[in-house]
Amino acid sequence: IEHVSSSIARRVVEGQVAVLLRDVFEDVSLRDQPSIIADPIRAAMCAPLWLVTRPGDPGTVLGFVYLDSHTRDPFTEADLQVLTVLANFAATKIESARLFQENMEKRRLEEDMRLAAEIQASLLPQEAPRVQGFDVAGVTRPSRTVGGDYYDFMLDGERLHIALGDVSGKGL
């Protein structure tokens, strides 16, 4: 990118509207802007990468598609319509890629949690020791995938040692 008019881009992003300028010097608010003077463009069109995720949502501008020319009047309304359709398509594709990435991250987290639950289960005793005159049992049921409870038994001759642990809170 050699140069993009920040004035035109700002108008498109803030207004969430596509802009066609057949001659930028006819637009009083633009002709004296440094971004127009720095690279003396004569015409420009710009469309927002506008994403509406649900009806009634005002939408979000993810970026913009920008074209300019050093000649006057090279773009038509039809060109702007095509650019707007392409920008909307690009915004949808960008959002789809973001959602895909988010879904992959969620799956990785779920797999990590599943693995943590397996590790936690492997640390717990598989069966309770047999102690004459007593029924010994232990169980833990996490409120989520991984819990904060721990128990263990150790039979030392005639003595039964029981270890209990409880971590408060619900984070990993």
Side-chain angles (χ1 to χ4, degrees):
I1 297 176
E2 288 185 30
H3 183 77
V4 172
S5 168
S6 57
S7 303
I8 295 171
R10 189 176 319 106
R11 181 183 291 182
V12 167
V13 170
E14 290 174 0
Q16 297 182 344
V17 63
V19 171
L20 171 62
L21 300 161
R22 291 191 169 116
D23 187 344
V24 294
F25 293 107
E26 290 178 1
D27 190 315
V28 177
S29 66
L30 291 175
R31 72 174 124 207
D32 296 329
Q33 293 296 319
S35 60
I36 300 294
I37 296 168
D39 185 18
I41 62 172
R42 288 298 304 249
M45 69 177 176
C46 187
L49 297 172
W50 189 32
L51 181 68
V52 177
T53 55
R54 60 188 168 276
D57 179 15
T60 304
V61 176
L62 305 175
F64 55 88
V65 179
Y66 174 90
L67 295 148
D68 67 25
S69 174
H70 293 284
T71 61
R72 185 181 178 281
D73 211 14
F75 306 119
T76 66
E77 287 291 332
D79 295 331
L80 183 63
Q81 288 176 354
V82 169
L83 186 69
T84 301
V85 167
L86 289 173
N88 290 337
F89 181 74
T92 301
K93 286 298 190 181
I94 290 168
E95 179 65 3
S96 292
R98 185 192 69 76
L99 290 172
F100 177 77
Q101 197 66 22
E102 189 177 279
N103 189 33
M104 293 303 292
E105 184 60 32
K106 182 180 175 189
R107 285 182 181 184
R108 276 192 289 275
L109 180 59
E110 287 171 353
E111 178 60 20
D112 288 350
M113 294 299 287
R114 187 195 61 73
L115 184 58
E118 280 182 21
I119 291 169
Q120 182 183 33
S122 73
L123 295 173
L124 297 172
Q126 299 304 307
E127 59 183 49
R130 299 190 190 283
V131 179
Q132 188 174 354
F134 293 94
D135 289 331
V136 180
V139 68
T140 180
R141 290 188 186 99
S143 63
R144 296 186 181 157
T145 307
V146 178
D149 299 330
Y150 175 78
Y151 67 91
D152 201 357
F153 307 109
M154 187 174 88
L155 191 55
D156 180 14
E158 300 257 335
R159 293 183 162 196
L160 175 64
H161 301 272
I162 300 173
L164 297 174
D166 182 25
V167 177
S168 64
K170 298 297 179 198
L172 185 59

